[in-house]
């Protein structure tokens, strides 16, 4: 535990000094993933993004495990997320071994959480359909919405085969498809 406390302090101090430079720096912190009960009120002012759980593996079971974890912790994760500080569910495995449907599920959920969209695939050899998912300008615009909000789970139903997620977007995107289609 002593070593973990030193790691946490080291990340916090480094974040303080990086922020003091006044330069735009993306500071990604992995140490919250190693804590049983991370203190996000201390993490958010220090880190621009932080990991919450173990690394994603190249399998849909792994992606679903992250989705389940984020669903279970959605209220906590949403409370500390906003412009400049985001939860990081790990890389997109779109273009590796998932089916196209599974890739769409992962991309959609990462977008709904305003997650960083880092890709683990070799983009030189990715199939076109997977590349189309990653380059979808509507999905990217929703992910990078200026509010940076974490989606909330919508009304529940007796049918547990699906879930509805709702994400509040900045006014420029929420009701104006033309503006959204012109965004890059």
């Amino acid at each position: 535990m002593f070593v973990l406390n030193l790691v946490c302090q080291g990340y916090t101090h480094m974040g303080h000094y990086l922020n003091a430079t006044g330069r735009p720096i993306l500071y990604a912190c992995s140490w919250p993933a190693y804590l049983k009960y991370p203190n996000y009120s201390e993490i958010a002012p220090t880190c621009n993004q932080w990991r919450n759980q173990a690394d994603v593996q190249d399998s849909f079971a792994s992606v679903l495990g992250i989705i389940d974890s984020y669903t279970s912790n959605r209220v906590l994760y949403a409370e500390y997320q906003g412009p400049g500080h985001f939860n990081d569910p790990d890389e997109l495995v779109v273009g590796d071994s998932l089916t196209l449907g599974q890739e769409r599920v992962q991309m959609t959920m990462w977008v709904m959480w305003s997650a960083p969209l880092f890709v683990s695939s070799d983009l030189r050899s990715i199939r076109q359909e997977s590349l189309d998912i990653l380059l979808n300008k509507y999905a990217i615009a929703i992910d990078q919405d200026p509010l940076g909000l974490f989606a909330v789970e919508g009304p529940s139903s007796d049918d547990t085969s699906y879930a509805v997620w709702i994400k509040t977007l900045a006014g420029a995107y929420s009701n104006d498809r033309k503006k959204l289609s012109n965004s890059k």
Side-chain angles (χ1 to χ4, degrees):
M1 188 63 173
F2 175 73
V3 172
L4 188 55
N5 285 336
L6 287 177
V7 169
C8 296
Q9 289 174 4
Y11 270 102
T12 302
H13 291 310
M14 182 69 166
H16 170 76
Y17 291 115
L18 288 172
N19 288 331
T21 67
R23 298 180 57 95
I25 297 172
L26 174 68
Y27 185 43
C29 299
S30 60
W31 61 273
Y34 307 113
L35 302 174
K36 189 170 184 171
Y37 301 106
N39 184 343
Y40 292 108
S41 64
E42 289 181 5
I43 296 166
T46 302
C47 304
N48 300 112
Q49 67 186 52
W50 52 85
R51 295 288 306 285
N52 305 94
Q53 72 284 313
D55 295 343
V56 68
Q57 302 301 309
D58 189 14
S59 74
F60 194 57
S62 177
V63 171
L64 285 177
I66 292 171
I67 292 171
D68 288 344
S69 174
Y70 268 59
T71 300
S72 298
N73 293 291
R74 66 191 175 280
V75 174
L76 175 64
Y77 291 174
E79 182 178 350
Y80 296 101
Q81 178 162 313
H85 44 278
F86 300 93
N87 295 284
D88 179 5
D90 205 3
E91 298 173 347
L92 292 163
V93 291
V94 172
D96 289 335
S97 68
L98 303 182
T99 67
L100 285 174
Q102 293 168 343
E103 291 176 352
R104 287 185 189 105
V105 168
Q106 186 188 22
M107 181 71 167
T108 299
M109 292 313 299
W110 268 234
V111 163
M112 292 302 286
W113 300 326
S114 297
L117 300 178
F118 293 114
V119 181
S120 67
S121 304
D122 182 348
L123 296 176
R124 297 170 297 175
S125 60
I126 192 171
R127 64 184 175 210
Q128 186 60 49
E129 298 88 352
S130 299
L131 193 58
D132 292 344
I133 292 169
L134 294 172
L135 296 176
N136 182 305
K137 65 183 176 182
Y138 301 111
I140 293 168
I142 292 168
D143 180 77
Q144 296 179 359
D145 180 76
L147 295 179
L149 297 177
F150 194 92
V152 296
E153 198 167 14
S156 61
S157 162
D158 291 337
D159 183 352
T160 59
S161 65
Y162 68 91
V164 175
W165 288 79
I166 300 167
K167 182 173 178 177
T168 301
L169 302 174
Y173 298 117
S174 60
N175 293 313
D176 190 340
R177 187 175 173 102
K178 185 174 182 180
K179 284 184 183 178
L180 182 60
S181 67
N182 290 329
S183 65
K184 301 242 186 230

